[in-house]
Amino acid sequence: MVLLRLLSKNLKSYYLLMLIAILVTIGQVGCDLVAAMPLKFIPSKVNNPGSDPSCSFPFLDPVLSMFDTPLLDPTLRPTGPNQPIGQPPPAPCPANPSNPGSIIHPMITQHSVIGVIVFSLLLLLVFGSLSACLAYVEIRLANTISQQVSAHLRQELFDHLQRLSLDWHDRQKKGDLVQRVTGNITDIEKLVNDGLVDLLACGHSHSRGGRHLYIAY
């Protein structure tokens, strides 16, 4: 209880940084989930041309259309001069058993396999890099908070020792004072740092579980 009160007292000034660290963790979890989607988009599109990302996420349809270009897919090149650019063959989206309308009137998608693969790889690269950057920010925030707390505790302990009488210092062993000023404060710094890292790691473990479930589904 004494340790909890001590940490609560010294962490009050860093609630904003802790809140930022939690928001950064939430952002990284979101990036991890989005980065997992290409791992499902690519095999689904290769095995079934109708299994398109726009079937599950219709707002991606205009984005995927940007990747339907002869620069990526040579089969879309014009058949002759003054001929329009070719279009990918239309294919019905997979039926959803929970939606009878998708069986009777399936949604038609028309995006090239190569375009979906390039889009998925780009999505994986962007959100994977963003997730790595956010992970770095998390670690920096945890280190900053723990170092600031330990510096504040050392200053308070030093000020307290300065106010004590010389008789009290004569009765103490020098090794004990050094251990309290250095070793014990270092232990508290490790506790704060490891505690924050473990707290943020819980969010990462949940995101990995959700990612595996999404890919399996």
Side-chain angles (χ1 to χ4, degrees):
M1 293 297 294
V2 176
L3 180 60
L4 290 178
R5 287 198 298 268
L6 178 65
L7 291 177
S8 176
K9 175 185 175 182
N10 288 276
L11 286 174
K12 282 184 178 179
S13 302
Y14 306 99
Y15 283 166
L16 179 59
L17 286 179
M18 295 176 65
L19 177 60
I20 294 175
I22 293 174
L23 294 177
V24 169
T25 302
I26 295 174
Q28 187 186 5
V29 170
C31 289
D32 288 341
L33 292 176
V34 175
M37 293 180 180
L39 302 179
K40 184 178 180 181
F41 289 164
I42 295 176
S44 297
K45 184 67 175 180
V46 171
N47 294 328
N48 179 10
S51 184
D52 196 87
S54 61
C55 295
S56 302
F57 306 97
F59 63 89
L60 291 178
D61 186 67
V63 179
L64 291 171
S65 297
M66 298 171 59
F67 293 85
D68 295 330
T69 170
L71 294 176
L72 299 177
D73 191 349
T75 62
L76 301 181
R77 292 175 180 172
T79 57
N82 301 324
Q83 294 294 322
I85 296 175
Q87 294 294 325
C93 291
N96 186 358
S98 61
N99 183 12
S102 65
I103 301 176
I104 302 174
H105 302 289
M107 178 180 174
I108 303 299
T109 182
Q110 197 171 2
H111 298 295
S112 68
V113 175
I114 296 179
V116 171
I117 292 176
V118 173
F119 166 77
S120 300
L121 293 177
L122 185 61
L123 192 70
L124 179 61
L125 176 63
V126 170
F127 283 92
S129 301
L130 184 58
S131 176
C133 293
L134 292 177
Y136 172 78
V137 173
E138 290 174 14
I139 296 175
R140 289 291 298 174
L141 285 174
N143 289 335
T144 298
I145 293 173
S146 62
Q147 290 174 5
Q148 292 292 333
V149 169
S150 65
H152 181 70
L153 288 175
R154 285 191 176 94
Q155 185 63 45
E156 282 192 344
L157 180 58
F158 180 78
D159 293 341
H160 177 69
L161 292 175
Q162 290 286 89
R163 291 191 296 267
L164 295 175
S165 65
L166 294 177
D167 292 337
W168 184 89
H169 284 281
D170 289 338
R171 294 193 301 269
Q172 305 301 318
K173 296 180 180 180
K174 293 183 176 62
D176 292 342
L177 292 179
V178 173
Q179 175 63 24
R180 291 179 184 178
V181 174
T182 59
N184 292 350
I185 300 298
T186 301
D187 292 339
I188 294 177
E189 179 181 349
K190 291 181 179 178
L191 174 64
V192 174
N193 189 19
D194 295 344
L196 285 176
V197 171
D198 291 342
L199 176 64
L200 301 178
C202 290
H204 301 163
S205 63
H206 287 300
S207 72
R208 285 193 294 268
R211 182 171 56 211
H212 294 157
L213 286 176
Y214 176 79
I215 295 174
Y217 179 79

